[in-house]
Amino acid sequence: MTQAIRIHSYGGPDVLKWETVEVGDPASGQVRVRHTAVGLNFIDVYERTGLYAGALPSGLGREAAGVIEAIGPDVDDLKVGDRVAYTLSVAGSYSERRLAPADRLVKVPDFIDDRTAAAIMLKGLTARALLRRTYRVQPGDAILVHAAAGGVGLLMVQWAKRLGARVIAIVGSDSKAKLVKEHGADLVLLDTVDWVAAVRDYTNKQGVAVVYDSVGQATFMRSLDCLKPLGTLVTYGNASGPVAPFAPLELAKRGSLFVTRPILYHYISTRPELTEAAADLFDMVGKGAVRVHIGQTYALRDAAQAHRDLEARRTSGATILLP
Ligand SMILES: NC(=O)c1ccc[n+]([C@@H]2O[C@H](COP(=O)([O-])OP(=O)(O)OC[C@H]3O[C@@H](n4cnc5c(N)ncnc54)[C@H](OP(=O)(O)O)[C@@H]3O)[C@@H](O)[C@H]2O)c1
């Protein structure tokens, strides 16, 4: 048995319930992980509200680090006591223990602590996929990052700088602006200003090569207005609500633009893709090119409060839930 956050209906943070649940022994190809740190992600909010609906009742959470405490049959490369971390497309990391497929776990190197590992498996791998594969950032590119002080955003700002980009960052408050500046952004704009005009001014009326937009509904059309001809809009989140349908002609009018709507799991679907991406991520963190800012922690059983703060834009950097 273990303690876990479960939801039995969709709704506000109050639907999160702290319960005793059965875990059981690992089946073939599985291990049982005892979590030491759990990552909070905006996708947890979508799953709680039903924007991304699955079967109920359900666990919640897709990112964690911990220690292996039991191994099922046919698992060769992991052993009891190994420090591991993961992001899984099946929710359930808001728990003290869970079963997980061994081929979706990575071993955590000694130079990365558990909280950092739990903060980067979903958020850091997303940052890497977006910058290295969705649109491959080139030295000298001007790029625009929304929600730049957030969990994914703050990692993206630093990684993009390392790639030689000129990073324009949009944030929701002065304190977040300061944080993003400290992490290397070239130009930081509050979301309350006319940021389309500011982006065009900063790029000598050219526009940026790529916009990374996780805000969604509230920013989508204005993000298109920030792009140079043949530029790419990467719409990868819905913090303000899902993007409304739009006419492809809007892309033609603004300069034959590209729009893509990526999901991390499609970029790490094979074991080699996962291990290569994780190794690159750990390397970037290990050498200090990307600093992982954990802005706040909560007890796992208080996850509802973490959700309230995330949705109210009160968090910065990554948030960790402690079992
Ligand atoms: N596609 C994928 O595979 C993938 C993977 C991971 C994450 N994501 C997406 O990436 C985004 C960031 O995720 P995260 O977990 O790191 O969250 P986060 O960025 O730490 O938190 C969301 C931030 O969005 C900003 N925001 C703007 N308008 C908002 C609104 N109406 N309501 C709430 N927040 C608003 C807030 O920053 P300001 O106050 O500075 O505006 C807030 O702090 C999310 O949209 C998430 O869905 C996508």
Side-chain angles (χ1 to χ4, degrees), residues 40-43 46 122-123 126 147 150-153 170-173 176 191 214-215 236-240 261-264 310-311 313 315 317:
L40 177 76
N41 289 280
F42 219 92
I43 191 170
Y46 309 144
L122 176 47
K123 291 177 275 289
T126 297
V152 177
I170 298 183
V171 296
S173 70
K176 290 183 180 182
D191 69 340
S214 62
V215 175
Y236 72 99
N238 332 278
S240 68
R261 193 356 178 149
I263 293 176
L264 169 66
L310 183 63
E311 288 179 276
R313 304 167 70 168
T315 64

PDB file of all heavy atoms in Angstrom, residues 40-43 46 122-123 126 147 150-153 170-173 176 191 214-215 236-240 261-264 310-311 313 315 317, ligand 1:
ATOM      1  N   LEU A  40       5.973  19.207 -10.283  1.00  0.00           N
ATOM      2  CA  LEU A  40       4.653  19.773 -10.606  1.00  0.00           C
ATOM      3  C   LEU A  40       4.716  20.326 -12.024  1.00  0.00           C
ATOM      4  O   LEU A  40       5.709  20.961 -12.394  1.00  0.00           O
ATOM      5  CB  LEU A  40       4.335  20.909  -9.629  1.00  0.00           C
ATOM      6  CG  LEU A  40       3.027  21.666  -9.859  1.00  0.00           C
ATOM      7  CD1 LEU A  40       1.828  20.844  -9.379  1.00  0.00           C
ATOM      8  CD2 LEU A  40       3.045  23.015  -9.126  1.00  0.00           C
ATOM      9  N   ASN A  41       3.676  20.087 -12.811  1.00  0.00           N
ATOM     10  CA  ASN A  41       3.642  20.578 -14.183  1.00  0.00           C
ATOM     11  C   ASN A  41       2.258  21.101 -14.529  1.00  0.00           C
ATOM     12  O   ASN A  41       1.256  20.625 -13.982  1.00  0.00           O
ATOM     13  CB  ASN A  41       4.004  19.447 -15.166  1.00  0.00           C
ATOM     14  CG  ASN A  41       5.464  19.091 -15.078  1.00  0.00           C
ATOM     15  OD1 ASN A  41       6.315  19.767 -15.647  1.00  0.00           O
ATOM     16  ND2 ASN A  41       5.775  18.048 -14.321  1.00  0.00           N
ATOM     17  N   PHE A  42       2.224  22.033 -15.476  1.00  0.00           N
ATOM     18  CA  PHE A  42       0.928  22.594 -15.841  1.00  0.00           C
ATOM     19  C   PHE A  42       0.005  21.542 -16.433  1.00  0.00           C
ATOM     20  O   PHE A  42      -1.217  21.634 -16.317  1.00  0.00           O
ATOM     21  CB  PHE A  42       1.086  23.788 -16.792  1.00  0.00           C
ATOM     22  CG  PHE A  42       0.114  24.884 -16.483  1.00  0.00           C
ATOM     23  CD1 PHE A  42       0.444  25.914 -15.620  1.00  0.00           C
ATOM     24  CD2 PHE A  42      -1.178  24.847 -16.996  1.00  0.00           C
ATOM     25  CE1 PHE A  42      -0.479  26.899 -15.299  1.00  0.00           C
ATOM     26  CE2 PHE A  42      -2.102  25.827 -16.675  1.00  0.00           C
ATOM     27  CZ  PHE A  42      -1.755  26.858 -15.832  1.00  0.00           C
ATOM     28  N   ILE A  43       0.580  20.503 -17.028  1.00  0.00           N
ATOM     29  CA  ILE A  43      -0.271  19.447 -17.579  1.00  0.00           C
ATOM     30  C   ILE A  43      -1.095  18.782 -16.472  1.00  0.00           C
ATOM     31  O   ILE A  43      -2.206  18.284 -16.717  1.00  0.00           O
ATOM     32  CB  ILE A  43       0.565  18.408 -18.355  1.00  0.00           C
ATOM     33  CG1 ILE A  43      -0.361  17.474 -19.151  1.00  0.00           C
ATOM     34  CG2 ILE A  43       1.486  17.622 -17.453  1.00  0.00           C
ATOM     35  CD1 ILE A  43       0.371  16.579 -20.121  1.00  0.00           C
ATOM     36  N   TYR A  46      -4.293  20.546 -16.418  1.00  0.00           N
ATOM     37  CA  TYR A  46      -5.199  20.146 -17.521  1.00  0.00           C
ATOM     38  C   TYR A  46      -5.856  18.799 -17.200  1.00  0.00           C
ATOM     39  O   TYR A  46      -7.019  18.576 -17.538  1.00  0.00           O
ATOM     40  CB  TYR A  46      -4.450  19.994 -18.843  1.00  0.00           C
ATOM     41  CG  TYR A  46      -3.563  21.146 -19.265  1.00  0.00           C
ATOM     42  CD1 TYR A  46      -2.346  20.905 -19.927  1.00  0.00           C
ATOM     43  CD2 TYR A  46      -3.918  22.474 -19.048  1.00  0.00           C
ATOM     44  CE1 TYR A  46      -1.530  21.935 -20.342  1.00  0.00           C
ATOM     45  CE2 TYR A  46      -3.099  23.512 -19.456  1.00  0.00           C
ATOM     46  CZ  TYR A  46      -1.894  23.232 -20.097  1.00  0.00           C
ATOM     47  OH  TYR A  46      -1.081  24.248 -20.502  1.00  0.00           O
ATOM     48  N   LEU A 122      10.440  16.167 -17.191  1.00  0.00           N
ATOM     49  CA  LEU A 122       9.421  16.638 -18.143  1.00  0.00           C
ATOM     50  C   LEU A 122       9.778  18.019 -18.679  1.00  0.00           C
ATOM     51  O   LEU A 122       9.804  18.251 -19.889  1.00  0.00           O
ATOM     52  CB  LEU A 122       8.036  16.636 -17.471  1.00  0.00           C
ATOM     53  CG  LEU A 122       6.851  17.177 -18.275  1.00  0.00           C
ATOM     54  CD1 LEU A 122       6.788  16.624 -19.694  1.00  0.00           C
ATOM     55  CD2 LEU A 122       5.547  16.888 -17.566  1.00  0.00           C
ATOM     56  N   LYS A 123      10.119  18.941 -17.764  1.00  0.00           N
ATOM     57  CA  LYS A 123      10.332  20.326 -18.191  1.00  0.00           C
ATOM     58  C   LYS A 123      11.628  20.482 -19.003  1.00  0.00           C
ATOM     59  O   LYS A 123      11.663  21.178 -20.019  1.00  0.00           O
ATOM     60  CB  LYS A 123      10.332  21.239 -16.961  1.00  0.00           C
ATOM     61  CG  LYS A 123       8.943  21.326 -16.327  1.00  0.00           C
ATOM     62  CD  LYS A 123       8.912  22.159 -15.061  1.00  0.00           C
ATOM     63  CE  LYS A 123       9.285  21.406 -13.828  1.00  0.00           C
ATOM     64  NZ  LYS A 123       8.295  20.416 -13.378  1.00  0.00           N
ATOM     65  N   THR A 126      11.452  18.721 -22.367  1.00  0.00           N
ATOM     66  CA  THR A 126      10.618  19.538 -23.262  1.00  0.00           C
ATOM     67  C   THR A 126      11.435  20.698 -23.825  1.00  0.00           C
ATOM     68  O   THR A 126      11.412  20.958 -25.034  1.00  0.00           O
ATOM     69  CB  THR A 126       9.383  20.069 -22.498  1.00  0.00           C
ATOM     70  OG1 THR A 126       8.600  18.959 -22.085  1.00  0.00           O
ATOM     71  CG2 THR A 126       8.548  20.993 -23.369  1.00  0.00           C
ATOM     72  N   ALA A 147       6.034  33.033 -21.010  1.00  0.00           N
ATOM     73  CA  ALA A 147       6.074  32.446 -19.663  1.00  0.00           C
ATOM     74  C   ALA A 147       7.512  32.060 -19.307  1.00  0.00           C
ATOM     75  O   ALA A 147       7.789  30.963 -18.824  1.00  0.00           O
ATOM     76  CB  ALA A 147       5.145  31.226 -19.562  1.00  0.00           C
ATOM     77  N   GLY A 150       8.772  30.568 -15.965  1.00  0.00           N
ATOM     78  CA  GLY A 150       8.129  29.334 -15.504  1.00  0.00           C
ATOM     79  C   GLY A 150       9.078  28.149 -15.524  1.00  0.00           C
ATOM     80  O   GLY A 150      10.280  28.281 -15.796  1.00  0.00           O
ATOM     81  N   GLY A 151       8.524  26.984 -15.224  1.00  0.00           N
ATOM     82  CA  GLY A 151       9.329  25.776 -15.141  1.00  0.00           C
ATOM     83  C   GLY A 151      10.046  25.480 -16.443  1.00  0.00           C
ATOM     84  O   GLY A 151      11.284  25.364 -16.481  1.00  0.00           O
ATOM     85  N   VAL A 152       9.312  25.381 -17.531  1.00  0.00           N
ATOM     86  CA  VAL A 152       9.931  25.142 -18.840  1.00  0.00           C
ATOM     87  C   VAL A 152      10.647  26.397 -19.311  1.00  0.00           C
ATOM     88  O   VAL A 152      11.778  26.344 -19.815  1.00  0.00           O
ATOM     89  CB  VAL A 152       8.872  24.704 -19.880  1.00  0.00           C
ATOM     90  CG1 VAL A 152       9.515  24.522 -21.258  1.00  0.00           C
ATOM     91  CG2 VAL A 152       8.167  23.415 -19.453  1.00  0.00           C
ATOM     92  N   GLY A 153      10.003  27.548 -19.143  1.00  0.00           N
ATOM     93  CA  GLY A 153      10.508  28.800 -19.719  1.00  0.00           C
ATOM     94  C   GLY A 153      11.904  29.163 -19.252  1.00  0.00           C
ATOM     95  O   GLY A 153      12.769  29.534 -20.060  1.00  0.00           O
ATOM     96  N   ILE A 170       8.936  36.990 -22.274  1.00  0.00           N
ATOM     97  CA  ILE A 170       7.728  37.655 -21.771  1.00  0.00           C
ATOM     98  C   ILE A 170       7.348  37.024 -20.437  1.00  0.00           C
ATOM     99  O   ILE A 170       7.337  35.785 -20.316  1.00  0.00           O
ATOM    100  CB  ILE A 170       6.572  37.552 -22.780  1.00  0.00           C
ATOM    101  CG1 ILE A 170       6.964  38.268 -24.078  1.00  0.00           C
ATOM    102  CG2 ILE A 170       5.291  38.154 -22.204  1.00  0.00           C
ATOM    103  CD1 ILE A 170       5.891  38.300 -25.132  1.00  0.00           C
ATOM    104  N   VAL A 171       7.036  37.886 -19.455  1.00  0.00           N
ATOM    105  CA  VAL A 171       6.694  37.415 -18.098  1.00  0.00           C
ATOM    106  C   VAL A 171       5.535  38.239 -17.554  1.00  0.00           C
ATOM    107  O   VAL A 171       5.202  39.297 -18.092  1.00  0.00           O
ATOM    108  CB  VAL A 171       7.901  37.543 -17.139  1.00  0.00           C
ATOM    109  CG1 VAL A 171       9.047  36.650 -17.564  1.00  0.00           C
ATOM    110  CG2 VAL A 171       8.344  38.994 -17.022  1.00  0.00           C
ATOM    111  N   GLY A 172       4.980  37.776 -16.424  1.00  0.00           N
ATOM    112  CA  GLY A 172       3.790  38.390 -15.867  1.00  0.00           C
ATOM    113  C   GLY A 172       4.014  39.352 -14.715  1.00  0.00           C
ATOM    114  O   GLY A 172       3.053  39.930 -14.222  1.00  0.00           O
ATOM    115  N   SER A 173       5.254  39.542 -14.263  1.00  0.00           N
ATOM    116  CA  SER A 173       5.467  40.464 -13.125  1.00  0.00           C
ATOM    117  C   SER A 173       6.906  40.967 -13.117  1.00  0.00           C
ATOM    118  O   SER A 173       7.794  40.372 -13.742  1.00  0.00           O
ATOM    119  CB  SER A 173       5.181  39.768 -11.793  1.00  0.00           C
ATOM    120  OG  SER A 173       6.197  38.810 -11.535  1.00  0.00           O
ATOM    121  N   LYS A 176       9.379  38.422 -11.704  1.00  0.00           N
ATOM    122  CA  LYS A 176       9.725  37.396 -12.688  1.00  0.00           C
ATOM    123  C   LYS A 176      10.659  37.973 -13.755  1.00  0.00           C
ATOM    124  O   LYS A 176      11.564  37.278 -14.241  1.00  0.00           O
ATOM    125  CB  LYS A 176       8.456  36.830 -13.326  1.00  0.00           C
ATOM    126  CG  LYS A 176       7.624  35.981 -12.369  1.00  0.00           C
ATOM    127  CD  LYS A 176       6.412  35.373 -13.068  1.00  0.00           C
ATOM    128  CE  LYS A 176       5.595  34.541 -12.096  1.00  0.00           C
ATOM    129  NZ  LYS A 176       4.443  33.885 -12.728  1.00  0.00           N
ATOM    130  N   ASP A 191       3.900  41.091 -19.877  1.00  0.00           N
ATOM    131  CA  ASP A 191       2.842  40.709 -20.817  1.00  0.00           C
ATOM    132  C   ASP A 191       1.755  41.781 -20.939  1.00  0.00           C
ATOM    133  O   ASP A 191       0.875  41.671 -21.787  1.00  0.00           O
ATOM    134  CB  ASP A 191       2.239  39.346 -20.446  1.00  0.00           C
ATOM    135  CG  ASP A 191       1.436  39.382 -19.164  1.00  0.00           C
ATOM    136  OD1 ASP A 191       1.623  40.314 -18.359  1.00  0.00           O
ATOM    137  OD2 ASP A 191       0.611  38.479 -18.967  1.00  0.00           O
ATOM    138  N   SER A 214       3.543  28.956 -24.813  1.00  0.00           N
ATOM    139  CA  SER A 214       2.865  27.985 -23.949  1.00  0.00           C
ATOM    140  C   SER A 214       1.626  28.584 -23.308  1.00  0.00           C
ATOM    141  O   SER A 214       0.951  27.921 -22.531  1.00  0.00           O
ATOM    142  CB  SER A 214       3.827  27.523 -22.847  1.00  0.00           C
ATOM    143  OG  SER A 214       4.200  28.629 -22.049  1.00  0.00           O
ATOM    144  N   VAL A 215       1.342  29.844 -23.613  1.00  0.00           N
ATOM    145  CA  VAL A 215       0.195  30.518 -22.989  1.00  0.00           C
ATOM    146  C   VAL A 215      -1.087  30.172 -23.754  1.00  0.00           C
ATOM    147  O   VAL A 215      -2.145  29.983 -23.175  1.00  0.00           O
ATOM    148  CB  VAL A 215       0.450  32.038 -22.904  1.00  0.00           C
ATOM    149  CG1 VAL A 215      -0.768  32.768 -22.367  1.00  0.00           C
ATOM    150  CG2 VAL A 215       1.669  32.318 -22.025  1.00  0.00           C
ATOM    151  N   TYR A 236       2.864  25.178 -27.679  1.00  0.00           N
ATOM    152  CA  TYR A 236       3.083  23.919 -26.960  1.00  0.00           C
ATOM    153  C   TYR A 236       2.376  23.845 -25.613  1.00  0.00           C
ATOM    154  O   TYR A 236       2.613  22.905 -24.846  1.00  0.00           O
ATOM    155  CB  TYR A 236       4.586  23.630 -26.817  1.00  0.00           C
ATOM    156  CG  TYR A 236       5.337  24.501 -25.838  1.00  0.00           C
ATOM    157  CD1 TYR A 236       5.627  24.047 -24.553  1.00  0.00           C
ATOM    158  CD2 TYR A 236       5.759  25.776 -26.185  1.00  0.00           C
ATOM    159  CE1 TYR A 236       6.308  24.832 -23.632  1.00  0.00           C
ATOM    160  CE2 TYR A 236       6.430  26.571 -25.277  1.00  0.00           C
ATOM    161  CZ  TYR A 236       6.707  26.094 -24.006  1.00  0.00           C
ATOM    162  OH  TYR A 236       7.375  26.888 -23.103  1.00  0.00           O
ATOM    163  N   GLY A 237       1.479  24.793 -25.333  1.00  0.00           N
ATOM    164  CA  GLY A 237       0.752  24.729 -24.064  1.00  0.00           C
ATOM    165  C   GLY A 237      -0.490  25.595 -24.086  1.00  0.00           C
ATOM    166  O   GLY A 237      -0.715  26.376 -25.035  1.00  0.00           O
ATOM    167  N   ASN A 238      -1.294  25.461 -23.037  1.00  0.00           N
ATOM    168  CA  ASN A 238      -2.604  26.132 -22.964  1.00  0.00           C
ATOM    169  C   ASN A 238      -2.823  26.805 -21.612  1.00  0.00           C
ATOM    170  O   ASN A 238      -3.908  26.711 -21.052  1.00  0.00           O
ATOM    171  CB  ASN A 238      -3.755  25.132 -23.131  1.00  0.00           C
ATOM    172  CG  ASN A 238      -3.385  23.916 -23.951  1.00  0.00           C
ATOM    173  OD1 ASN A 238      -3.395  23.977 -25.164  1.00  0.00           O
ATOM    174  ND2 ASN A 238      -3.047  22.818 -23.290  1.00  0.00           N
ATOM    175  N   ALA A 239      -1.812  27.461 -21.053  1.00  0.00           N
ATOM    176  CA  ALA A 239      -1.962  27.993 -19.693  1.00  0.00           C
ATOM    177  C   ALA A 239      -3.159  28.938 -19.586  1.00  0.00           C
ATOM    178  O   ALA A 239      -3.816  29.003 -18.548  1.00  0.00           O
ATOM    179  CB  ALA A 239      -0.681  28.696 -19.261  1.00  0.00           C
ATOM    180  N   SER A 240      -3.477  29.673 -20.668  1.00  0.00           N
ATOM    181  CA  SER A 240      -4.622  30.605 -20.633  1.00  0.00           C
ATOM    182  C   SER A 240      -5.861  30.001 -21.268  1.00  0.00           C
ATOM    183  O   SER A 240      -6.888  30.660 -21.378  1.00  0.00           O
ATOM    184  CB  SER A 240      -4.265  31.897 -21.365  1.00  0.00           C
ATOM    185  OG  SER A 240      -4.115  31.638 -22.756  1.00  0.00           O
ATOM    186  N   ARG A 261       2.329  21.980 -33.203  1.00  0.00           N
ATOM    187  CA  ARG A 261       1.784  21.796 -31.855  1.00  0.00           C
ATOM    188  C   ARG A 261       2.397  20.500 -31.289  1.00  0.00           C
ATOM    189  O   ARG A 261       1.821  19.415 -31.402  1.00  0.00           O
ATOM    190  CB  ARG A 261       0.262  21.719 -31.957  1.00  0.00           C
ATOM    191  CG  ARG A 261      -0.587  21.834 -30.675  1.00  0.00           C
ATOM    192  CD  ARG A 261       0.171  21.912 -29.425  1.00  0.00           C
ATOM    193  NE  ARG A 261      -0.647  22.069 -28.232  1.00  0.00           N
ATOM    194  CZ  ARG A 261      -0.289  21.575 -27.058  1.00  0.00           C
ATOM    195  NH1 ARG A 261       0.831  20.891 -26.918  1.00  0.00           N
ATOM    196  NH2 ARG A 261      -1.029  21.776 -26.017  1.00  0.00           N
ATOM    197  N   PRO A 262       3.617  20.597 -30.737  1.00  0.00           N
ATOM    198  CA  PRO A 262       4.339  19.393 -30.306  1.00  0.00           C
ATOM    199  C   PRO A 262       3.923  18.881 -28.922  1.00  0.00           C
ATOM    200  O   PRO A 262       3.424  19.641 -28.091  1.00  0.00           O
ATOM    201  CB  PRO A 262       5.785  19.877 -30.256  1.00  0.00           C
ATOM    202  CG  PRO A 262       5.674  21.324 -29.911  1.00  0.00           C
ATOM    203  CD  PRO A 262       4.393  21.825 -30.515  1.00  0.00           C
ATOM    204  N   ILE A 263       4.163  17.611 -28.700  1.00  0.00           N
ATOM    205  CA  ILE A 263       4.019  16.961 -27.379  1.00  0.00           C
ATOM    206  C   ILE A 263       5.327  16.215 -27.122  1.00  0.00           C
ATOM    207  O   ILE A 263       5.798  15.459 -27.978  1.00  0.00           O
ATOM    208  CB  ILE A 263       2.840  15.974 -27.385  1.00  0.00           C
ATOM    209  CG1 ILE A 263       1.510  16.727 -27.542  1.00  0.00           C
ATOM    210  CG2 ILE A 263       2.829  15.126 -26.112  1.00  0.00           C
ATOM    211  CD1 ILE A 263       0.309  15.819 -27.661  1.00  0.00           C
ATOM    212  N   LEU A 264       5.907  16.431 -25.955  1.00  0.00           N
ATOM    213  CA  LEU A 264       7.214  15.842 -25.656  1.00  0.00           C
ATOM    214  C   LEU A 264       7.283  14.348 -25.965  1.00  0.00           C
ATOM    215  O   LEU A 264       8.267  13.864 -26.528  1.00  0.00           O
ATOM    216  CB  LEU A 264       7.565  16.070 -24.174  1.00  0.00           C
ATOM    217  CG  LEU A 264       8.784  15.260 -23.692  1.00  0.00           C
ATOM    218  CD1 LEU A 264      10.059  15.729 -24.390  1.00  0.00           C
ATOM    219  CD2 LEU A 264       8.913  15.312 -22.184  1.00  0.00           C
ATOM    220  N   LEU A 310       0.097  27.686  -8.889  1.00  0.00           N
ATOM    221  CA  LEU A 310       0.514  27.588 -10.298  1.00  0.00           C
ATOM    222  C   LEU A 310      -0.506  28.295 -11.201  1.00  0.00           C
ATOM    223  O   LEU A 310      -0.139  29.078 -12.078  1.00  0.00           O
ATOM    224  CB  LEU A 310       0.652  26.113 -10.687  1.00  0.00           C
ATOM    225  CG  LEU A 310       1.149  25.806 -12.095  1.00  0.00           C
ATOM    226  CD1 LEU A 310       2.566  26.336 -12.308  1.00  0.00           C
ATOM    227  CD2 LEU A 310       1.124  24.292 -12.362  1.00  0.00           C
ATOM    228  N   GLU A 311      -1.776  28.014 -10.967  1.00  0.00           N
ATOM    229  CA  GLU A 311      -2.818  28.604 -11.817  1.00  0.00           C
ATOM    230  C   GLU A 311      -2.951  30.103 -11.610  1.00  0.00           C
ATOM    231  O   GLU A 311      -3.376  30.820 -12.518  1.00  0.00           O
ATOM    232  CB  GLU A 311      -4.162  27.932 -11.526  1.00  0.00           C
ATOM    233  CG  GLU A 311      -4.241  26.520 -12.051  1.00  0.00           C
ATOM    234  CD  GLU A 311      -5.578  25.890 -11.720  1.00  0.00           C
ATOM    235  OE1 GLU A 311      -5.716  25.375 -10.593  1.00  0.00           O
ATOM    236  OE2 GLU A 311      -6.472  25.919 -12.569  1.00  0.00           O
ATOM    237  N   ARG A 313      -0.521  32.072 -11.171  1.00  0.00           N
ATOM    238  CA  ARG A 313       0.733  32.653 -11.669  1.00  0.00           C
ATOM    239  C   ARG A 313       1.624  33.125 -10.527  1.00  0.00           C
ATOM    240  O   ARG A 313       2.414  34.068 -10.695  1.00  0.00           O
ATOM    241  CB  ARG A 313       0.432  33.790 -12.649  1.00  0.00           C
ATOM    242  CG  ARG A 313      -0.453  33.330 -13.788  1.00  0.00           C
ATOM    243  CD  ARG A 313      -1.043  34.456 -14.606  1.00  0.00           C
ATOM    244  NE  ARG A 313      -0.047  35.154 -15.405  1.00  0.00           N
ATOM    245  CZ  ARG A 313      -0.347  36.021 -16.370  1.00  0.00           C
ATOM    246  NH1 ARG A 313      -1.604  36.263 -16.661  1.00  0.00           N
ATOM    247  NH2 ARG A 313       0.591  36.621 -17.052  1.00  0.00           N
ATOM    248  N   THR A 315       3.859  31.074  -8.975  1.00  0.00           N
ATOM    249  CA  THR A 315       5.097  30.297  -8.893  1.00  0.00           C
ATOM    250  C   THR A 315       6.116  30.833  -9.886  1.00  0.00           C
ATOM    251  O   THR A 315       5.769  31.479 -10.877  1.00  0.00           O
ATOM    252  CB  THR A 315       4.843  28.807  -9.208  1.00  0.00           C
ATOM    253  OG1 THR A 315       4.396  28.696 -10.567  1.00  0.00           O
ATOM    254  CG2 THR A 315       3.801  28.215  -8.281  1.00  0.00           C
ATOM    255  N   GLY A 317      10.019  29.440 -11.788  1.00  0.00           N
ATOM    256  CA  GLY A 317      10.885  28.280 -11.953  1.00  0.00           C
ATOM    257  C   GLY A 317      10.090  27.002 -11.748  1.00  0.00           C
ATOM    258  O   GLY A 317       8.883  26.941 -11.997  1.00  0.00           O
TER     259      GLY A 317
HETATM  260  N1  LIG B   1       3.748  20.180 -25.219  1.00  0.00           N
HETATM  261  C1  LIG B   1       4.449  19.601 -24.288  1.00  0.00           C
HETATM  262  O1  LIG B   1       4.941  18.480 -24.434  1.00  0.00           O
HETATM  263  C2  LIG B   1       4.649  20.325 -22.988  1.00  0.00           C
HETATM  264  C3  LIG B   1       5.506  19.786 -22.018  1.00  0.00           C
HETATM  265  C4  LIG B   1       5.696  20.493 -20.834  1.00  0.00           C
HETATM  266  C5  LIG B   1       5.043  21.700 -20.637  1.00  0.00           C
HETATM  267  N2  LIG B   1       4.198  22.160 -21.584  1.00  0.00           N
HETATM  268  C6  LIG B   1       3.513  23.438 -21.416  1.00  0.00           C
HETATM  269  O2  LIG B   1       4.467  24.407 -21.071  1.00  0.00           O
HETATM  270  C7  LIG B   1       3.860  25.403 -20.262  1.00  0.00           C
HETATM  271  C8  LIG B   1       4.713  25.623 -19.054  1.00  0.00           C
HETATM  272  O3  LIG B   1       4.567  24.519 -18.176  1.00  0.00           O
HETATM  273  P1  LIG B   1       5.155  24.589 -16.715  1.00  0.00           P
HETATM  274  O4  LIG B   1       4.692  23.363 -16.024  1.00  0.00           O
HETATM  275  O5  LIG B   1       6.588  24.930 -16.779  1.00  0.00           O
HETATM  276  O6  LIG B   1       4.324  25.829 -16.094  1.00  0.00           O
HETATM  277  P2  LIG B   1       4.869  27.289 -15.708  1.00  0.00           P
HETATM  278  O7  LIG B   1       5.438  27.928 -16.925  1.00  0.00           O
HETATM  279  O8  LIG B   1       5.744  27.194 -14.519  1.00  0.00           O
HETATM  280  O9  LIG B   1       3.544  28.003 -15.287  1.00  0.00           O
HETATM  281  C9  LIG B   1       2.710  28.586 -16.224  1.00  0.00           C
HETATM  282  C10 LIG B   1       3.026  30.080 -16.427  1.00  0.00           C
HETATM  283  O10 LIG B   1       2.268  30.540 -17.526  1.00  0.00           O
HETATM  284  C11 LIG B   1       2.068  31.918 -17.394  1.00  0.00           C
HETATM  285  N3  LIG B   1       0.680  32.271 -17.697  1.00  0.00           N
HETATM  286  C12 LIG B   1       0.289  33.158 -18.630  1.00  0.00           C
HETATM  287  N4  LIG B   1      -1.032  33.242 -18.670  1.00  0.00           N
HETATM  288  C13 LIG B   1      -1.512  32.408 -17.739  1.00  0.00           C
HETATM  289  C14 LIG B   1      -2.818  32.091 -17.297  1.00  0.00           C
HETATM  290  N5  LIG B   1      -3.914  32.652 -17.840  1.00  0.00           N
HETATM  291  N6  LIG B   1      -2.954  31.185 -16.301  1.00  0.00           N
HETATM  292  C15 LIG B   1      -1.883  30.604 -15.752  1.00  0.00           C
HETATM  293  N7  LIG B   1      -0.606  30.879 -16.144  1.00  0.00           N
HETATM  294  C16 LIG B   1      -0.425  31.783 -17.131  1.00  0.00           C
HETATM  295  C17 LIG B   1       2.428  32.291 -15.949  1.00  0.00           C
HETATM  296  O11 LIG B   1       3.660  33.000 -16.002  1.00  0.00           O
HETATM  297  P3  LIG B   1       3.634  34.626 -15.995  1.00  0.00           P
HETATM  298  O12 LIG B   1       3.014  35.017 -14.698  1.00  0.00           O
HETATM  299  O13 LIG B   1       5.059  35.007 -16.115  1.00  0.00           O
HETATM  300  O14 LIG B   1       2.821  35.030 -17.183  1.00  0.00           O
HETATM  301  C18 LIG B   1       2.607  30.955 -15.266  1.00  0.00           C
HETATM  302  O15 LIG B   1       3.566  30.994 -14.247  1.00  0.00           O
HETATM  303  C19 LIG B   1       2.431  24.941 -19.997  1.00  0.00           C
HETATM  304  O16 LIG B   1       1.573  25.572 -20.900  1.00  0.00           O
HETATM  305  C20 LIG B   1       2.522  23.461 -20.286  1.00  0.00           C
HETATM  306  O17 LIG B   1       1.292  22.940 -20.683  1.00  0.00           O
HETATM  307  C21 LIG B   1       4.004  21.501 -22.755  1.00  0.00           C
END
